Amino acid sequence: TRELCPKSTWPRRGTDALSARLLRASPTLASMVFEKSLTAMVKGIRANRGKESDYINTCVQEIQKEVASKNLQTKSTAVLKLAYLNMIGYDMSWATFSVVEVMSHNKFAIKRPGYLASAICFTETTDVGLLTINLFKKDLSSMLSSSRAYLRKKTVLCLYRIFLKDPPALRTCFPRLKERLSDEDQGVLTASVNTFLELARKNARNYLSLVPQLYHILVNTTNNWLSIKLLKLFQLLCPLEPRLPAKLVEPLTNLLNTTKAASVEFEAIRTVLRTLPEGTQLASLAVEKLQVFLNSSDRNLRYLALEVFREALEQPGFRERYPVADLHSKVLCCIEETDPTARMVALRLLDLIVTPSSFADAVKKLMEFSQKSLCADEFHKTILRIGARDCYALVEDFAWYLLILADISRSLDSAHAGEVAEQFTDIIVRVAGVRPYAVQLALSLLDRDPSAASSATAAEDEDINPSTASLEIAPSMLGACAWVVGEFHRDFEGEAEVCFPKAVKALIAAKSVREMEPAIQTLCIWSAFKVTLGAPEHAPGAVAELQALLLAHLPGFVTSTHPDVSERATLALHLTSGPGGASDPCSLAVGGQLFAEPLLPVAVGTQKAMTMPAGLDLDVPFFAPEEAPVASFAPMRADPTDPYALAATYKDDLGFLAAQEAPHASSSTPSGTEHSSIFYLGGSKDGASGAEGQGVGGSSVAAGAQAAAKLDPLEQMRQKLAAARAGATATRYEVLREDVRAPAPAAAAPAAGAAAAGAGGATPAGAGVSALPIPADKELTDLQGRLWSVCFSDDFVRVYACVRSKNQKKQQLRLELRCERLAGENGDAVVADVGLRFPAGVAALEVDASGLLPLAPGALGERAAKVRATLSLAPFLVPALCTLAAEVQYTLTRGGAPERIASPLELTLPPTTFLTHLPTSEDEIATYMADHAAELLTEQTAEAVTLQMPGRTAGDVASELPRLVGRCAGLCNLYGIQQQAPAQNKSQKFLMVARPPAASAQPSPLAGQVALPEAARVVCLCAGMPRDGSLDIKVTVKACRKDVCDDVSAQLVSVFRDLVEGRLRTFG
């Protein structure tokens, strides 16, 4: 004490002696006097700037002594300081046992630092964690019934995390937790309701028994926060209990009419719109209250109103039953919000309220906002999404919409440039009436003069308008324009003899074309050649000029360093100049026949759905592989006597210098000249400019002057469109909304065959219907490879099986099996020669002479390699769950003579393994169901399941649902189509159909394998309801046998669960 205190503060002799006597008598008191508290340690760290590490090391040494103290108060303080140091990066794993000691103390103030430290530093691999299991049970049980409301509240909140980690604990604690709903303390009551709310988000059906207590709390509480939590909980329970919404009418009406809290009022409005039947008086009151939120000056309230309106408008018929005044204008105003979250909600809401009559105004506003905003992509994405909805159902003026797409394409860094180009070409393919204007628009976008931009600086001297600068658009849009000009050159509005040369010049004569991406250059080259092919029919007077243009400019592309560009240019050049090429009028006429048939839109997945012709095996090469030629090339040296001249020179190898000395051949016969070689490096600038300027349409000076005098091409096209529409009636376009699909298979039902024949062999999807995106075969095989299951296990061996893939053409099923040795108490036993014997009637190609499939030849290590088994599908005639009674055999040696063990093994094959997907349309399915309902669809099974997708909004789940169902259909050998419901409907519906195995001439050797009738089908109806954090799926299977319906339905639900929550999880 004297060393720590100044002399002036030393106590007198009698007091000093008394203090020393007390410290000697109580060492614990001495340690408590000199130990640092957490506050003192933190202050010390801050005071030792630059020397924090030294100070902390000193503190750690002190803490190590304090942890060894027998005084638990001192130890608790030490653990608390360690928890702080652990949070800033210092290890405290050496003190985990001391943490457990502190946790086990009876006093709450002492054990609390221990629980805090365990939450920070304990992991699943911490050894002493096993010592805390009973401690947790005892402490939680005592604190849950503690007399202190603070402890009860904290315990109730902690239980939710425990239930997430250990779900069985919920069953044990549920009665005690339910008692807390009657707690007198408002904090405990609110915590209890909040815990039940979070649990109900996982599975609300478990808590329907709590409805009476929850209702009693709702009608009696005055706590706003508690009311909000109760309303959220009732929103989850109402869909499960049909009588509950009617019971909530009175308390909800009272809340809407009496509460002054905007938060409670908002939650009551959302509860009414989510749970109560539409058309009620209370629903009308909720909509009126919601309009007040929408007109509020508080941007937060406006955001909440937009979110609820978006959710309500997704319900069919809401807008007709509850018209909201000025909703469209209010949404457009909210789009200008600076808050990005509110802006995104307003954009999604605009997608729901826009109509064909308001579409043009909405797009105009969005384009204005995009020009003033830094995030133009959000507005462009909304325009593209609304415009493409239901195959351009909202677009009335397609010429105007093409101008909008061209305007969007000016954003060179836009993330949606590819979608703009795709819509541009798709509209022109589908809408024949807009093609003349569209081709002219595409040509105006291509016909650019890059020199105009550089000459804008000379406007004062040359009297040139600076607005003549070149129009810059996204490269993908340039490629789309080039493709449109080449494909629909016959639809030029002006004089063909003028338009065709102008198009070819724009495609290949401009220098800027060679600066574009290789894919764009390739499109330009081939489009120019297609324009030339169509000239004899549509512009016979321009054929010679077009040939001259190709011969003059294609050599510049032949020398490109990009192989695709060079190859395409060389091909076009030889077709133009060679014998029988474009110089031959007969050849040109034949080439023009390529455009005789109209180009139709093709549905996604049609190529995969095509039936493979009989006799075609893609695994067999078309030609016998040729042997690689023997290398006979020997590099030449400029000076053979120089050992360092290892590289061949241009003169010795490629002959460039010799070629320059040789006379140039005629440009009309490029073969054999330097222009036909991809290694040609080009001539002088004078020569290049002279080649481009001769005989291709007049003086370059005059052309430059005309380009300089041009206005903005888009503005010109707008003026042209406005002049054409002035005083004329609105143009009505016919839109081809049906996509071409794969022809129906020959084995389809008679009704389906008739329908396909009536459609000319194609299966139309119909408006509002689209095929599901089925993954590629490789992806499906990889997914199947994750679905391993245990088919046998004893004390020594365990066998796993996986159904990997099916070869429909060869009627074979590929399985993979794997075995492993189980040590356990029989670690000294030796297992060898493991094999599998299939039941009679089931043959595998890989079995040996004795009929045994070797799984692990020789001694079995810890795990054997995978073994393939290829089974014939002939014995399997029913798409039902099939269990093969096989036998596993192995040799076991346990200290004595080896013995051969034979044990039964059950190999289960899923029912959908034996189905074959059947490409069809919704109309064909409807016809089949109407014609065969009484004979082939007499049985059905329905199952509903709720899949958890935490962290995902309902919108995210809805966007992923088609891909999810498509994967399920691919894994289950089903062909699926999506029924696109109205935009306001959140539910999505899908149809999936498959054909069962065909009957064979001989009966199956397996029991119960009796083929279904020839025209039988398995029809599956799937409905998905996206929600925040979950997905409700209902599967209904119809067939002619009940066991088929039951097994296929169970398999579909199992695959859905694996895709979302299990082994195949790729969502969420």
Side-chain angles (χ1 to χ4, degrees):
T1 306
R2 292 177 182 271
E3 295 176 358
L4 296 176
C5 302
K7 287 187 176 182
S8 59
T9 60
W10 283 3
R12 288 174 298 184
R13 182 178 299 274
T15 307
D16 184 47
L18 178 61
S19 300
R21 194 177 298 114
L22 289 173
L23 293 177
R24 286 195 300 270
S26 178
T28 301
L29 180 61
S31 63
M32 293 176 62
V33 170
F34 294 105
E35 71 179 12
K36 289 189 183 77
S37 65
L38 175 62
T39 304
M41 187 184 71
V42 173
K43 289 181 178 179
I45 293 175
R46 293 177 178 177
N48 287 269
R49 290 188 177 181
K51 301 179 180 179
E52 292 89 345
S53 298
D54 297 337
Y55 181 80
I56 291 176
N57 291 333
T58 303
C59 293
V60 170
Q61 294 176 3
E62 296 175 356
I63 292 173
Q64 289 176 346
K65 297 178 181 179
E66 294 169 359
V67 164
S69 172
K70 296 181 179 180
N71 186 290
L72 284 178
Q73 178 63 52
T74 302
K75 188 173 295 188
S76 177
T77 304
V79 168
L80 184 61
K81 292 188 288 185
L82 277 178
Y84 175 81
L85 294 177
N86 184 261
M87 293 171 63
I88 61 176
Y90 287 83
D91 180 42
M92 64 170 294
S93 59
W94 54 271
T96 53
F97 189 80
S98 300
V99 172
V100 176
E101 285 183 311
V102 173
M103 292 171 61
S104 61
H105 199 273
N106 294 329
K107 291 185 178 180
F108 176 76
I110 293 180
K111 72 166 53 186
R112 186 173 184 178
Y115 273 96
L116 173 63
S118 66
I120 293 174
C121 70
F122 281 18
T123 64
E124 295 181 357
T125 59
T126 303
D127 296 336
V128 297
L130 296 175
L131 304 176
T132 63
I133 296 177
N134 292 328
L135 183 62
F136 270 110
K137 293 181 180 180
K138 183 186 70 173
D139 286 348
L140 290 174
S141 177
S142 61
M143 286 190 291
L144 198 59
S145 57
S146 172
S147 59
R148 297 177 58 185
Y150 175 79
L151 293 182
R152 298 199 303 273
K153 181 180 70 173
K154 289 295 185 181
T155 306
V156 168
L157 293 175
C158 180
L159 283 176
Y160 172 67
R161 293 290 184 182
I162 294 178
F163 296 154
L164 288 183
K165 193 66 178 177
D166 184 24
L170 174 60
R171 190 180 300 275
T172 304
C173 298
F174 184 79
R176 301 287 298 278
L177 187 60
K178 184 179 178 181
E179 293 176 359
R180 295 303 99 208
L181 292 177
S182 304
D183 201 295
E184 296 178 356
D185 185 82
Q186 286 292 309
V188 178
L189 182 59
T190 304
S192 302
V193 172
N194 186 71
T195 299
F196 279 117
L197 171 61
E198 297 303 322
L199 292 172
R201 296 185 192 277
K202 301 296 181 182
N203 188 356
R205 192 175 298 276
N206 292 340
Y207 311 100
L208 285 174
S209 61
L210 302 177
V211 168
Q213 286 179 272
L214 297 174
Y215 181 83
H216 176 75
I217 299 172
L218 178 65
V219 298
N220 290 285
T221 186
T222 57
N223 187 323
N224 292 336
W225 185 252
L226 182 57
S227 299
I228 292 173
K229 293 295 182 180
L230 286 168
L231 292 174
K232 289 179 179 291
L233 186 52
F234 278 119
Q235 292 172 22
L236 300 174
L237 297 175
C238 281
L240 305 176
E241 176 52 65
R243 299 169 295 177
L244 185 56
K247 190 71 174 177
L248 291 176
V249 170
E250 182 179 353
L252 288 173
T253 305
N254 293 335
L255 285 175
L256 289 176
N257 289 326
T258 60
T259 184
K260 296 182 180 179
S263 57
V264 177
E265 184 179 2
F266 168 76
E267 201 60 47
I269 292 172
R270 186 156 62 175
T271 304
V272 171
L273 296 180
R274 282 183 175 179
T275 61
L276 265 64
E278 299 173 356
T280 60
Q281 184 177 0
L282 184 56
S284 301
L285 176 62
V287 174
E288 293 177 6
K289 295 285 185 180
L290 192 59
Q291 292 186 52
V292 177
F293 278 65
L294 188 62
N295 297 323
S296 174
S297 58
D298 188 343
R299 66 175 59 185
N300 294 322
L301 296 182
R302 292 200 303 271
Y303 166 76
L304 293 174
L306 289 173
E307 187 66 41
V308 175
F309 266 122
R310 180 192 63 81
E311 183 178 344
L313 285 169
E314 290 178 350
Q315 302 174 8
F318 177 85
R319 191 176 184 183
E320 290 73 16
R321 285 189 295 271
Y322 308 105
V324 181
D326 299 331
L327 179 60
H328 189 273
S329 59
K330 291 290 184 183
V331 172
L332 289 178
C333 291
C334 293
I335 288 176
E336 292 188 276
E337 291 278 2
T338 56
D339 183 10
T341 308
R343 185 168 60 245
M344 291 301 298
V345 174
L347 290 173
R348 291 198 298 266
L349 182 56
L350 181 64
D351 195 352
L352 298 173
I353 65 176
V354 70
T355 61
S357 58
S358 62
F359 176 68
D361 293 336
V363 171
K364 182 179 178 182
K365 285 286 186 181
L366 291 174
M367 291 299 295
E368 293 176 358
F369 297 155
S370 67
Q371 294 171 2
K372 297 183 293 184
S373 174
L374 297 176
C375 49
D377 273 0
E378 295 179 1
F379 303 104
H380 293 165
K381 180 180 179 181
T382 303
I383 294 174
L384 297 172
R385 184 177 64 247
I386 298 175
R389 193 172 72 196
D390 296 336
C391 200
Y392 312 102
L394 298 177
V395 182
E396 293 181 342
D397 190 344
F398 282 94
W400 164 83
Y401 187 66
L402 290 178
L403 280 173
I404 295 296
L405 294 178
D407 211 354
I408 295 176
S409 67
R410 284 181 163 180
S411 299
L412 301 181
D413 56 347
S414 173
H416 310 293
E419 187 176 355
V420 172
E422 184 178 349
Q423 286 195 21
F424 189 82
T425 56
D426 190 39
I427 289 174
I428 299 173
V429 170
R430 294 179 183 274
V431 187
V434 81
R435 288 174 188 167
Y437 182 82
V439 175
Q440 198 67 31
L441 174 61
L443 181 56
S444 67
L445 296 176
L446 288 171
D447 188 16
R448 305 176 302 145
D449 185 11
S451 62
S454 60
S455 63
T457 56
E460 300 159 345
D461 301 332
E462 302 291 340
D463 196 20
I464 297 177
N465 190 343
S467 65
T468 59
S470 61
L471 175 68
E472 293 294 339
I473 60 175
S476 56
M477 188 63 171
L478 287 174
C481 292
W483 182 85
V484 167
V485 169
E487 188 67 31
F488 300 103
H489 54 268
R490 58 185 176 275
D491 293 308
F492 276 120
E493 285 184 325
E495 186 178 353
E497 278 74 9
V498 177
C499 294
F500 274 51
K502 182 180 179 181
V504 173
K505 291 177 185 178
L507 289 168
I508 62 173
K511 295 181 180 179
S512 58
V513 175
R514 303 181 192 179
E515 300 173 358
M516 298 178 187
E517 299 176 2
I520 308 299
Q521 295 185 48
T522 303
L523 282 172
C524 291
I525 293 170
W526 210 240
S527 296
F529 184 67
K530 289 195 287 186
V531 171
T532 306
L533 288 180
E537 180 180 355
H538 303 286
V543 173
E545 183 178 0
L546 295 175
Q547 292 177 355
L549 286 170
L550 292 179
L551 295 176
H553 296 289
L554 285 179
F557 293 95
V558 171
T559 59
S560 172
T561 58
H562 300 286
D564 290 342
V565 177
S566 177
E567 181 182 359
R568 190 63 60 91
T570 303
L571 177 60
L573 188 59
H574 281 281
L575 291 176
T576 303
S577 60
S583 57
D584 186 358
C586 297
S587 299
L588 285 177
V590 173
Q593 296 178 3
L594 297 175
F595 310 98
E597 296 184 4
L599 190 65
L600 301 177
V602 180
V604 177
T606 300
Q607 181 67 36
K608 184 179 179 181
M610 293 292 293
T611 304
M612 186 178 297
L616 176 62
D617 190 350
L618 297 180
D619 297 330
V620 179
F622 291 103
F623 304 99
E626 298 180 358
E627 297 182 358
V630 180
S632 59
F633 174 80
M636 298 176 60
R637 299 174 180 172
D639 185 4
T641 62
D642 184 4
Y644 298 100
L646 301 180
T649 64
Y650 285 114
K651 181 175 181 180
D652 295 332
D653 190 14
L654 301 179
F656 280 171
L657 298 181
Q660 289 181 355
E661 299 172 0
H664 294 286
S666 174
S667 60
S668 61
T669 58
S671 58
T673 68
E674 66 273 18
H675 295 283
S676 63
S677 172
I678 63 172
F679 301 103
Y680 177 62
L681 300 180
S684 64
K685 295 182 179 179
D686 297 337
S689 60
E692 291 183 1
Q694 59 182 4
V696 290
S699 171
S700 60
V701 178
Q706 292 178 2
K710 287 183 179 179
L711 297 174
D712 183 353
L714 289 185
E715 187 60 34
Q716 283 185 325
M717 296 303 295
R718 287 194 188 93
Q719 295 176 2
K720 182 177 180 180
L721 181 62
R725 301 289 166 80
T729 58
T731 306
R732 297 186 63 85
Y733 296 97
E734 294 184 4
V735 184
L736 184 62
R737 303 191 190 276
E738 296 182 354
D739 295 339
V740 176
R741 292 186 173 274
T763 305
V769 178
S770 61
L772 285 177
I774 305 296
D777 292 340
K778 183 181 184 303
E779 182 179 355
L780 292 176
T781 303
D782 293 341
L783 291 174
Q784 292 280 15
R786 304 185 199 175
L787 299 177
W788 288 85
S789 60
V790 178
C791 57
F792 173 79
S793 181
D794 62 5
D795 294 336
F796 305 97
V797 177
R798 179 173 295 160
V799 180
Y800 300 87
C802 173
V803 180
R804 195 63 188 268
S805 61
K806 180 175 68 172
N807 190 322
Q808 188 64 38
K809 180 182 177 182
K810 298 180 180 180
Q811 285 293 292
Q812 292 177 345
L813 181 65
R814 172 187 165 190
L815 306 180
E816 287 186 351
L817 298 107
R818 188 182 67 220
C819 60
E820 65 181 11
R821 183 172 60 86
L822 302 179
E825 300 178 355
N826 305 289
D828 56 343
V830 177
V831 178
D833 299 330
V834 184
L836 176 68
R837 186 179 302 278
F838 287 98
V842 178
L845 300 181
E846 294 81 4
V847 299
D848 56 18
S850 63
L852 199 66
L853 176 67
L855 298 182
L860 175 61
E862 182 179 353
R863 175 174 293 183
K866 291 186 292 187
V867 175
R868 177 186 298 184
T870 306
L871 306 182
S872 172
L873 288 173
F876 306 101
L877 303 178
V878 181
L881 192 67
C882 181
T883 301
L884 299 180
E887 184 182 69
V888 62
Q889 301 180 9
Y890 60 90
T891 301
L892 179 64
T893 305
R894 288 184 290 184
E899 58 177 328
R900 191 67 176 172
I901 305 297
S903 301
L905 178 148
E906 290 188 349
L907 186 61
T908 303
L909 303 180
T912 56
T913 304
F914 315 112
L915 293 174
T916 303
H917 80 284
L918 183 64
T920 183
S921 68
E922 185 184 19
D923 293 338
E924 293 173 354
I925 296 177
T927 302
Y928 176 84
M929 295 178 68
D931 294 344
H932 300 86
E935 50 179 341
L936 298 179
L937 297 176
T938 55
E939 304 291 344
Q940 78 171 30
T941 299
E943 289 191 47
V945 61
T946 298
L947 305 174
Q948 302 300 325
M949 302 180 72
R952 312 306 298 269
T953 64
D956 297 337
V957 178
S959 63
E960 294 175 352
L961 183 54
R963 189 161 63 98
L964 171 65
V965 180
R967 285 193 169 192
C968 180
L971 290 170
C972 296
N973 298 307
L974 297 164
Y975 178 82
I977 59 178
Q978 180 178 5
Q979 298 173 297
Q980 294 180 357
Q984 293 84 357
N985 192 353
K986 294 195 301 184
S987 177
Q988 299 184 34
K989 298 181 180 179
F990 308 87
L991 280 173
M992 295 180 285
V993 63
R995 183 174 60 243
S1000 60
Q1002 298 179 354
S1004 173
L1006 301 178
Q1009 295 293 326
V1010 179
L1012 275 60
E1014 181 180 358
R1017 299 288 181 267
V1018 176
V1019 180
C1020 307
L1021 296 89
C1022 177
M1025 176 65 74
R1027 302 187 187 278
D1028 291 336
S1030 64
L1031 171 63
D1032 295 340
I1033 285 187
K1034 182 179 180 180
V1035 176
T1036 304
V1037 180
K1038 295 187 176 183
C1040 60
R1041 282 177 47 172
K1042 182 62 176 175
D1043 59 336
V1044 172
C1045 295
D1046 294 343
D1047 293 345
V1048 172
S1049 176
Q1051 177 67 11
L1052 287 172
V1053 171
S1054 174
V1055 172
F1056 274 127
R1057 194 179 297 279
D1058 276 332
L1059 287 170
V1060 177
E1061 301 175 343
R1063 295 170 288 179
L1064 308 180
R1065 180 178 179 182
T1066 55
F1067 300 90

